[in-house]
Amino acid sequence: MHAEVHPDAAAYVTGHQAAAAPGAPAAPALRPALFAAYRDLTRLRYDFPLVLRADAADGRVYEPLTALVERLIEGGAERAKALRIEGELRAAAAGGTGSLAALGKIEGELVDCDAALPARLLAHVWRAAQAEKAASFRRHVERLIVKLDDILRADRARSAAGRSAASLKASFGALHDQAFDFESMSRFLGTVSVQTALSDARRGRIGATLADLRAQRFYAAPGVEALDFRFDSCAAALQAFRARVPDMMRLAKAITLAELEVEGEFSSERHDALFERLAASGLDLRDLALFPDYLVCVRDAQVRGAEQDALLEILAGGLPMKILLQTDDLLGEPSGRAGHVPASAHSRQLAHMALGLNSVLVLQASAAQLGAQRERVLRAMRYPGASLLSVYSGAGGHAGALPPYLVAAAATESRAFPSFSYDPAAGADWASRFSLEGNPQAEHDWPLHEFAYEDADHQRVRVQVAFTLMDFAACDTRYAGHFAAAPSAGRGAARVPAAECVQREAKGVPDALPSLLMVDERNFVHHAIVDERLLREARRCNDAWRSLQELGGIRNSHAERLLARERQKWEQERAAAAPAPAPASAPAPAPGVATPAAAAAPAPGPAEAAPPPSSDEPYIETPRCSSCDECIQINNKMFAYDANKQARIVDARAGTYRQLVEAAESCQVAIIHPGKPKNPDEPGLEDLLQRAAAFP
Amino acid sequence: MTMMATECLLQLCEQRYEIEDYQSAVPRWCTGCGDNAILASVQRLCRDEGLRPEKTVFVSGIGCSSRFPHYMRTYGFHGIHGRALPVAEGVRLARPDLTVFVNTGDGDCCSIGAAHWIHAIRYNMNITVFLHDNQIYGLTKMQASPTSPRGTKSNTTPRGSTLEALQPLSVTLGVQNVSFVAQAVDWIPESLYEVVKAAYHHQGFSFVRIVQRCPEWLPKIWDPWLHDPKRILMLDHPQGIRVSDGLKQVYRSTVAHDPSNIDRAREIASDTDSIPVGILYRNPAVPCYEELRATPGLRTIANLKQGLEAELDKFTFWPP
């Protein structure tokens, strides 16, 4: 008996294809079927190229060329002409050239999706964010410099030198220098004693503070060369930061001192010792926010060893650094070892580690997503702590004719490089901080798209096609060995879409083999069998995606379990309650009727009077006193104001009963109650008691 | 230990004030005058908010009300008749770091100062204005004022005034850009304080009419409301002022009124039978004039000189 191994099954299990027969035509170059419509991106309107705006007055630091052209058309530009120019610019940008001059007075540069895009784009946004910070810093520090200068100038003007005839003459200017007798003026001013001259210590302190403020090199100033804050290595950035800490502390101290001096709040006795103690232990985030942020652009391949240690130290320390971690090759070289496919990209591991630190802003996105994620990129640049932006450029150079934009977009679609953002400043919980925005159909394992083609019988066939990791791997020429071209439908082993096989763990050879729908250069449809190793990798990718979904609140297993438990409990309660009437709950008290519980409610307002004392004792309803002074005028030993300037009885025996009654009668708000007289021998008591009866 | 910001250092040396710290001269108002209640409430506000006396200004015009700055140990400006508001606006523009209050009366504000009043509402600068309305010119010994009820007998209207009284609340609510209107009475100190506090906290032109008794010239005019708590309409709302349970027990006419509803506020203001107490209208979204006119650059001497020279250069002629 002679057993024959089916070639498709062999390809699935071993990953090896049967050798082509001699003389057979070469296997066509295939790409995923969903890419069929995207042969020439320059003929399509999509998110690229991007315009990096020089003027960002409306907050649009960068935007897609398409959006800019649409706005011009809405503003009255001729539609056909604008669209034609857009097409030309898109084609030029793809070739690395292109100027916005054709669109009118728009200042900026065009960038297409290539290997240089992430660094160029993020540097542009970083510069815009730093410009805002610099403007705010300059406004603040210049105000302090002006105020401190004013203090010194006022002191000079009050000094003997300032009141000399020569100084007075100079201050009047040339036009009126003959109109006054400055000698007499100086003598006259000299007779006025100046009690508010600055002490030498204070003058020296203000002078030193001014010098520190003027000499700062963190932001550009006239005559001062600013420090550089852009680096290509984490280690170099960290070293520079450490070297600058003493200067940062000096400047932060100078600013604090200046603010205290300007307010007139600085006191040597109180603050000198405090400033000495606040020395080299470091700056907290509020002080670091004063200074420019660093921008560090590194490639994934270079972040190893010492460079990786420096990166982790920056992130763990929350240093004000914006780190671009660019990945160009996501899948890596396929390993020669049997059964091994490279593990998840190193950059994805770093991003996930940064998530665990909780205080780092993490943004992961492919380059294709950067146009749509502008607000998140801006927030990352403005975040006061450390930000990690992990970007896949799609320009690894292994995708054949596929442009980097498509490869980057494929990485997002296939969940190989999903977009996510974690912004600690967005709220107190993960629901507020973590987002999976930017991922298509985030509630599914893979995004599904409709694909229509003509079959062998010339009939239109519509299928739902998922875009998986396997489709992404199919874009990489190095992974061609994981696919085997399958014969046309009806021949060979049974086939099933590869996406459906991901969650099925089959032992041995499955009944139906996983296949991908692909197209060749002529857009003819082919089926390709996917080998088991790639299927396993797709399974791992799917697991990682599901973990991210849970973090993002999609199909969160904790929430689902809690919901199931609550539903079960509710159903049990409903079942238990159904046969007998529900026990009657106590009726709510009618509005306005005080229940005993309500009457005992805590925190009485100021007007809620305590129960009145015995009617024999005089008393005042102090919270209702309108401070009119009537009773105080009658007897200020008997009546006095409390801390709120409302009257109280200090000593009822400090005056007569008559005074109590007169106070009650003259009180504007009738809050004095005279009570009963203490002295039975006081004259006119009968009449007084009659009058007091009106104030029970 | 880490470096602390300026606020922490200031808080280390925080000064607490008592009411006596804000008391300057002994008030010379008549005993029983409602101005005393207003003074007590405002001093309490200053204490509770920790207002620094050297950063607080009271501006007034002419009248009994306008004696107010003399009795506050803060900065003050006792100005000329009807001109409290423009002076206060000038203080705000020149010294935006100061807290500015205005004390004005029914004559000072609603008669001679009416034009300034209308436009001050429009400007919506961050000032708190107390209108001490006792419905009479008291300092000048009893003449009818714009808010005196029709029929008020006074030295200038011996047969009774012939005109209907002007309603300050209705006028204020009718001006564009109005952002805060409230009313209080001097004989309910708890609600007077709450209104004064809310007015202080509002960012914008806060107009508070305080119904105030004049025991000397019109001692009985407010008696119908003083002795009948049902005629005091307490305005209660989470966005306004919450009326305490104690007050609700005394003043049973409590009504829920949303201060963002200007139409209802106008309706309430036009009712002459009861006196509404609380916030009638509040709109924090109205921009303040200071924000609208803030200049981005610093007003340094060099910048001012540069600006002046640029302007003068337009008119300079080289002498022949």
Side-chain angles (χ1 to χ4, degrees):
Chain A
M1 189 158 73
H2 179 65
E4 207 174 281
V5 176
H6 198 286
D8 292 349
Y12 169 75
V13 173
T14 65
H16 292 297
Q17 300 180 60
L30 301 177
R31 56 166 64 182
L34 289 172
F35 281 177
Y38 307 122
R39 293 279 167 191
D40 183 4
L41 288 185
T42 60
R43 297 169 68 84
L44 301 173
R45 294 192 89 198
Y46 65 108
D47 288 351
F48 276 77
L50 295 176
V51 177
L52 307 186
R53 302 275 301 268
D55 58 333
D58 53 2
R60 293 193 186 95
V61 178
Y62 67 90
E63 60 181 333
L65 177 66
T66 308
L68 179 65
V69 167
E70 283 299 321
R71 265 211 322 284
L72 290 173
I73 293 169
E74 278 168 24
E78 194 192 320
R79 186 180 176 83
K81 181 176 172 190
L83 290 177
R84 181 179 54 76
I85 294 174
E86 182 191 330
E88 287 166 5
L89 284 175
R90 182 168 283 116
T97 58
S99 155
L100 290 167
L103 284 176
K105 290 183 191 167
I106 296 169
E107 292 192 24
E109 50 175 321
L110 273 180
V111 292
D112 203 6
C113 189
D114 55 23
L117 166 75
R120 272 175 89 183
L121 177 70
L122 293 180
H124 174 75
V125 180
W126 171 77
R127 276 193 296 270
Q130 296 318 299
E132 287 170 9
K133 236 179 160 174
S136 168
F137 177 88
R138 266 195 288 277
R139 270 195 305 272
H140 183 50
V141 168
E142 280 173 16
R143 185 189 75 89
L144 291 174
I145 290 173
V146 164
K147 295 277 184 192
L148 289 179
D149 223 16
D150 282 347
I151 294 173
L152 291 181
R153 194 181 304 121
D155 184 57
R156 269 196 301 277
R158 285 195 298 262
S159 67
R163 290 184 287 176
S164 68
S167 294
L168 292 171
K169 187 172 176 179
S171 70
F172 269 73
L175 203 55
H176 301 289
D177 61 357
Q178 302 304 318
F180 296 93
D181 179 353
F182 292 103
E183 291 292 340
S184 299
M185 196 186 289
S186 174
R187 269 198 309 276
F188 178 73
L189 286 174
T191 61
V192 177
S193 69
V194 174
Q195 291 167 357
T196 54
L198 294 181
S199 65
D200 289 341
R202 190 175 178 209
R203 197 179 299 113
R205 187 172 56 242
I206 293 177
T209 304
L210 265 173
D212 284 340
L213 291 177
R214 285 180 171 133
Q216 64 81 22
R217 292 183 58 206
F218 293 95
Y219 293 97
V224 173
E225 191 190 332
L227 296 168
D228 193 9
F229 286 85
R230 183 165 171 184
F231 294 87
D232 291 327
S233 139
C234 294
L238 190 59
Q239 189 183 15
F241 177 85
R242 284 187 182 135
R244 293 169 187 176
V245 164
D247 288 335
M248 289 162 72
M249 293 195 61
R250 188 163 35 249
L251 180 60
K253 181 184 168 184
I255 290 174
T256 307
L257 256 173
E259 284 168 355
L260 289 171
E261 285 287 0
V262 162
E263 293 292 324
E265 290 289 333
F266 187 89
S267 157
S268 285
E269 295 82 37
R270 288 199 297 256
H271 294 126
D272 274 348
L274 216 57
F275 273 112
E276 273 167 32
R277 285 208 296 273
L278 298 172
S281 51
L283 299 155
D284 71 9
L285 276 182
R286 283 173 297 185
D287 299 304
L288 287 175
L290 275 175
F291 300 95
D293 298 323
Y294 291 64
L295 177 67
V296 187
C297 298
V298 292
R299 301 282 174 122
D300 175 45
Q302 89 190 73
V303 180
R304 299 286 187 274
E307 183 69 4
Q308 181 165 314
D309 291 341
L311 170 66
L312 291 174
E313 191 175 333
I314 290 169
L315 297 179
L319 301 184
M321 298 199 184
K322 313 301 163 199
I323 301 175
L324 164 64
L325 178 62
Q326 180 172 334
T327 303
D328 298 315
D329 182 5
L330 196 58
L331 293 176
E333 291 294 332
S335 170
R337 282 180 288 152
H340 175 75
V341 173
S344 296
H346 179 246
S347 62
R348 289 214 310 275
Q349 290 172 344
L350 287 173
H352 284 246
M353 247 190 302
L355 272 183
L357 291 170
N358 247 16
S359 59
V360 177
L361 189 151
V362 183
L363 175 64
Q364 176 170 291
S366 68
Q369 286 277 309
L370 290 177
Q373 300 261 17
R374 180 183 64 207
E375 291 311 312
R376 290 190 192 275
V377 171
L378 263 172
R379 269 211 292 278
M381 289 299 163
R382 288 176 181 152
Y383 179 67
S387 300
L388 176 68
L389 296 98
S390 176
V391 178
Y392 172 55
S393 68
H398 302 288
L402 284 177
Y405 173 82
L406 266 189
V407 177
T412 304
E413 286 272 332
S414 64
R415 318 300 193 205
F417 199 81
S419 294
F420 66 79
S421 71
Y422 175 80
D423 181 359
D429 51 31
W430 270 76
S432 315
R433 294 179 176 188
F434 188 82
S435 167
L436 288 175
E437 190 186 307
N439 293 288
Q441 299 175 39
E443 64 280 6
H444 296 147
D445 284 337
W446 319 101
L448 285 172
H449 300 279
E450 190 180 270
F451 179 70
Y453 64 94
E454 184 184 311
D455 67 5
D457 299 324
H458 304 290
Q459 299 301 304
R460 178 188 286 270
V461 177
R462 286 185 203 277
V463 290
Q464 290 289 323
V465 177
F467 196 90
T468 68
L469 176 73
M470 295 169 280
D471 295 89
F472 178 63
C475 300
D476 192 323
T477 51
R478 298 170 298 177
Y479 284 73
H482 289 277
F483 302 92
S488 49
R491 299 169 59 193
R495 292 190 294 266
V496 71
E500 292 177 23
C501 297
V502 170
Q503 290 307 321
R504 279 190 243 155
E505 286 270 9
K507 289 196 173 9
V509 180
D511 297 333
L513 298 176
S515 77
L516 288 188
L517 209 56
M518 304 190 71
V519 294
D520 61 20
E521 298 97 342
R522 294 172 301 157
N523 275 349
F524 276 55
V525 172
H526 296 260
H527 293 264
I529 305 293
V530 180
D531 76 359
E532 191 199 3
R533 288 178 301 162
L534 198 54
L535 193 67
R536 230 177 11 244
E537 194 56 26
R539 204 167 282 136
R540 284 177 58 181
C541 178
N542 186 231
D543 284 343
W545 168 245
R546 284 190 170 186
S547 297
L548 274 183
Q549 280 182 315
E550 289 230 26
L551 284 179
I554 299 171
R555 293 199 286 192
N556 185 296
S557 53
H558 292 287
E560 284 171 359
R561 277 183 209 176
L562 183 64
L563 193 60
R565 259 202 319 270
E566 290 299 315
R567 186 177 289 127
Q568 191 183 25
K569 195 168 136 189
W570 178 77
E571 278 169 359
Q572 280 169 358
E573 281 170 2
R574 205 166 72 134
S585 53
V593 173
T595 62
E608 207 178 84
S614 149
S615 58
D616 289 353
E617 291 298 316
Y619 68 95
I620 291 185
E621 296 169 63
T622 300
R624 290 179 54 206
C625 169
S626 65
S627 316
C628 71
D629 252 18
E630 292 272 16
C631 55
I632 309 280
Q633 294 288 328
I634 290 172
N635 186 333
N636 62 5
K637 299 239 177 338
M638 188 186 289
F639 303 99
Y641 284 136
D642 66 3
N644 284 337
K645 213 173 169 185
Q646 290 175 302
R648 59 191 174 92
I649 295 180
V650 177
D651 184 1
R653 294 176 198 281
T656 62
Y657 188 66
R658 177 176 297 279
Q659 286 175 325
L660 273 169
V661 174
E662 284 172 357
E665 287 170 338
S666 61
C667 177
Q668 301 286 321
V669 285
I671 55 169
I672 299 178
H673 307 270
K676 295 282 185 288
K678 300 286 183 224
N679 177 12
D681 298 325
E682 189 173 331
L685 267 187
E686 204 176 305
D687 172 57
L688 289 173
L689 281 168
Q690 253 185 339
R691 286 157 60 184
F695 306 100
Chain B
M1 189 187 291
T2 55
M3 178 83 81
M4 289 186 279
T6 311
E7 306 89 64
C8 296
L9 288 174
L10 284 172
Q11 278 168 20
L12 279 177
C13 317
E14 200 178 69
Q15 196 164 349
R16 302 203 186 282
Y17 298 101
E18 298 303 328
I19 279 187
E20 289 75 30
D21 294 323
Y22 298 99
Q23 183 69 44
S24 180
V26 173
R28 294 178 61 185
W29 292 312
C30 307
T31 45
C33 177
D35 282 332
N36 289 297
I38 302 170
L39 179 68
S41 265
V42 170
Q43 286 173 338
R44 200 173 137 203
L45 171 80
C46 292
R47 177 200 66 189
D48 293 348
E49 298 295 331
L51 296 186
R52 290 162 63 184
E54 68 274 17
K55 290 286 204 176
T56 311
V57 189
F58 286 84
V59 181
S60 65
I62 294 293
C64 292
S65 64
S66 301
R67 296 286 306 161
F68 205 96
H70 293 269
Y71 309 136
M72 290 293 297
R73 191 181 291 169
T74 60
Y75 281 109
F77 192 106
H78 189 177
I80 51 177
H81 208 1
R83 319 302 166 189
L85 287 168
V87 170
E89 288 163 331
V91 172
R92 271 302 291 169
L93 281 176
R95 289 293 304 276
D97 57 313
L98 300 180
T99 305
V100 180
F101 295 93
V102 171
N103 298 93
T104 183
D106 42 301
D108 189 72
C109 177
C110 306
S111 181
I112 183 168
H116 300 303
W117 173 35
I118 302 292
H119 296 287
I121 299 165
R122 290 179 60 233
Y123 275 108
N124 194 45
M125 296 180 77
N126 192 17
I127 296 169
T128 307
V129 177
F130 302 123
L131 171 65
H132 302 222
D133 189 0
N134 59 1
Q135 300 191 324
I136 200 75
Y137 289 175
L139 190 72
T140 46
K141 299 182 173 52
M142 201 174 177
Q143 291 83 32
S145 86
T147 59
S148 301
R150 189 156 66 102
T152 301
K153 289 194 165 70
S154 70
N155 293 335
T156 47
T157 56
R159 288 192 286 273
S161 57
T162 50
L163 298 175
E164 286 294 339
L166 179 143
Q167 299 292 335
L169 297 180
S170 299
V171 169
T172 310
L173 285 167
V175 178
Q176 206 66 24
N177 260 10
V178 59
S179 68
F180 185 98
V181 178
Q183 180 163 265
V185 296
D186 79 78
W187 60 87
I188 309 177
E190 185 192 334
S191 68
L192 171 60
Y193 175 72
E194 291 299 322
V195 166
V196 158
K197 189 165 80 164
Y200 162 73
H201 283 288
H202 173 72
Q203 289 294 308
F205 188 83
S206 309
F207 181 81
V208 181
R209 178 191 181 217
I210 305 175
V211 170
Q212 177 215 324
R213 294 157 296 149
C214 177
E216 184 65 29
W217 307 119
L218 294 176
K220 305 262 179 241
I221 198 162
W222 296 113
D223 277 0
W225 291 273
L226 190 62
H227 298 306
D228 184 3
K230 285 199 296 295
R231 294 183 75 178
I232 301 292
L233 184 68
M234 303 297 284
L235 305 178
D236 180 55
H237 198 270
Q239 303 302 320
I241 286 174
R242 300 311 323 241
V243 180
S244 67
D245 293 334
L247 274 183
K248 279 183 188 169
Q249 284 177 3
V250 177
Y251 299 98
R252 303 289 179 136
S253 303
T254 300
V255 65
H257 165 65
D258 180 359
S260 63
N261 186 344
I262 194 166
D263 295 321
R264 180 77 187 119
R266 287 169 177 153
E267 216 178 294
I268 291 171
S270 60
D271 177 14
T272 50
D273 195 46
S274 44
I275 296 179
V277 169
I279 300 177
L280 278 88
Y281 181 67
R282 175 162 61 193
N283 182 359
V286 182
C288 296
Y289 185 73
E290 301 93 304
E291 292 158 12
L292 295 172
R293 291 302 303 267
T295 51
L298 278 175
R299 292 171 66 85
T300 61
I301 293 172
N303 287 350
L304 287 171
K305 266 178 93 169
Q306 202 179 356
L308 267 175
E309 280 170 13
E311 289 304 312
L312 291 173
D313 281 347
K314 296 177 187 172
F315 302 100
T316 304
F317 293 92
W318 191 253

